[in-house]
């Protein structure tokens, strides 16, 4: 069952001279492979996003890998990298604390809580990328078990505390179960495979 969508934002250090995604692209055009973007392993969402920006804008970043999003953010704070494509929830405390600043949202529309941050598309770079959050059970569940967990998770999404959790972590609700969830996940897998193939990461 899918429960929510986790979007991505481009974040820079609070005192960074880069005020927009366009500024990062301009800098990358002037200094090919010198503008560093941090993230986790190659092929993950936070590596796909800068790769898509590269393709559309005709630039080359220097992608630096770290063991986790938290380590990538730490590298950004330390000045090791220039920007990171992060989930809003994992960067929120640093943004609220004026340590990081969001310069673009890779979402279809401006994100709640980040309304002043223009989407990449609104900045002329048509990159939209989402990461779903949900629950996947082991194979072989009985119909009764499926029904039980579908009801339990559906009830969860109607809980006021769940709504607050979504709001606090800048998540968009995406409640799909059964065949609808399978169809959505299959479409996401197909999209990811197409992108990774286009980027030369999958043959």
């Amino acid at each position: 069952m899918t429960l929510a969508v986790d979007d991505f934002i481009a974040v820079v250090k609070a005192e960074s001279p880069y005020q927009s995604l366009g500024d990062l692209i301009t800098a990358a055009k002037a200094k090919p492979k010198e503008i560093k973007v941090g993230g986790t392993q190659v092929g993950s969402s936070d590596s796909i996003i800068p790769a898509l920006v590269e393709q559309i804008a005709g630039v080359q970043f220097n992608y630096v890998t770290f063991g986790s999003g938290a380590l990538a953010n730490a590298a950004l704070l330390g000045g090791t990298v220039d920007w990171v494509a992060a989930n809003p929830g994992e960067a929120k405390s640093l943004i609220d604390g004026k340590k990081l600043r969001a310069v673009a949202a890779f979402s279809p529309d401006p994100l709640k809580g980040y309304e002043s941050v223009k989407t990449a598309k609104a900045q002329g770079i048509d990159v939209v990328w989402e990461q779903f959050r949900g629950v996947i059970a082991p194979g072989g569940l009985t119909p009764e078990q499926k029904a039980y967990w579908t009801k339990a998770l559906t009830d969860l999404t109607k809980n006021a505390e769940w709504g607050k959790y979504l709001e606090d972590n800048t998540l968009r609700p995406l409640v799909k179960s059964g065949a609808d969830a399978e169809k959505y996940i299959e479409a996401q897998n197909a999209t990811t495979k197409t992108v990774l193939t286009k980027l030369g990461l999958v043959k």
Side-chain angles (χ1 to χ4, degrees):
M1 184 167 182
T2 65
L3 299 172
V5 167
D6 214 350
D7 291 290
F8 287 86
I9 52 175
V11 290
V12 298
K13 202 172 175 180
E15 58 268 32
S16 168
Y18 306 117
Q19 301 295 320
S20 66
L21 185 59
D23 287 348
L24 288 166
I25 289 169
T26 298
K29 285 181 177 177
K31 300 180 287 184
K33 295 187 178 181
E34 288 188 31
I35 301 303
K36 299 181 179 70
V37 52
T40 55
Q41 71 270 17
V42 173
S44 63
S45 292
D46 43 0
S47 75
I48 288 173
I49 289 168
L52 291 173
V53 173
E54 286 179 329
Q55 284 205 335
I56 291 172
V59 297
Q60 285 185 300
F61 296 115
N62 182 353
Y63 188 71
V64 183
T65 59
F66 297 92
S68 68
L71 290 175
N73 284 341
L76 181 59
L77 289 169
T80 303
V81 297
D82 298 292
W83 71 284
V84 167
N87 293 125
E90 67 182 351
K92 189 176 188 304
S93 62
L94 293 171
I95 292 171
D96 290 346
K98 310 274 189 227
K99 299 291 187 183
L100 297 180
R101 178 162 39 83
V103 296
F106 299 101
S107 51
D109 302 294
L111 294 171
K112 190 174 181 180
Y114 295 88
E115 287 84 359
S116 63
V117 181
K118 289 184 177 181
T119 63
K121 189 172 183 177
Q123 297 184 54
I125 303 296
D126 192 2
V127 174
V128 175
W129 194 261
E130 66 183 36
Q131 185 174 45
F132 75 90
R133 304 296 187 184
V135 177
I136 296 176
L141 292 187
T142 65
E144 292 78 15
Q145 289 172 321
K146 288 181 183 179
Y148 173 86
W149 285 111
T150 298
K151 183 181 184 305
L153 292 168
T154 300
D155 289 346
L156 167 72
T157 64
K158 297 174 182 177
N159 187 296
E161 289 184 21
W162 174 252
K164 185 177 184 304
Y165 174 81
L166 293 181
E167 185 173 340
D168 290 348
N169 291 279
T170 321
L171 294 164
R172 287 189 283 124
L174 181 74
V175 181
K176 292 180 181 292
S177 62
D180 287 341
E182 291 176 11
K183 185 177 179 180
Y184 172 82
I185 292 170
E186 286 172 3
Q188 290 295 301
N189 285 342
T191 298
T192 302
K193 183 177 180 180
T194 297
V195 170
L196 291 177
T197 301
K198 190 175 181 180
L199 295 175
L201 298 174
V202 169
K203 294 182 180 178

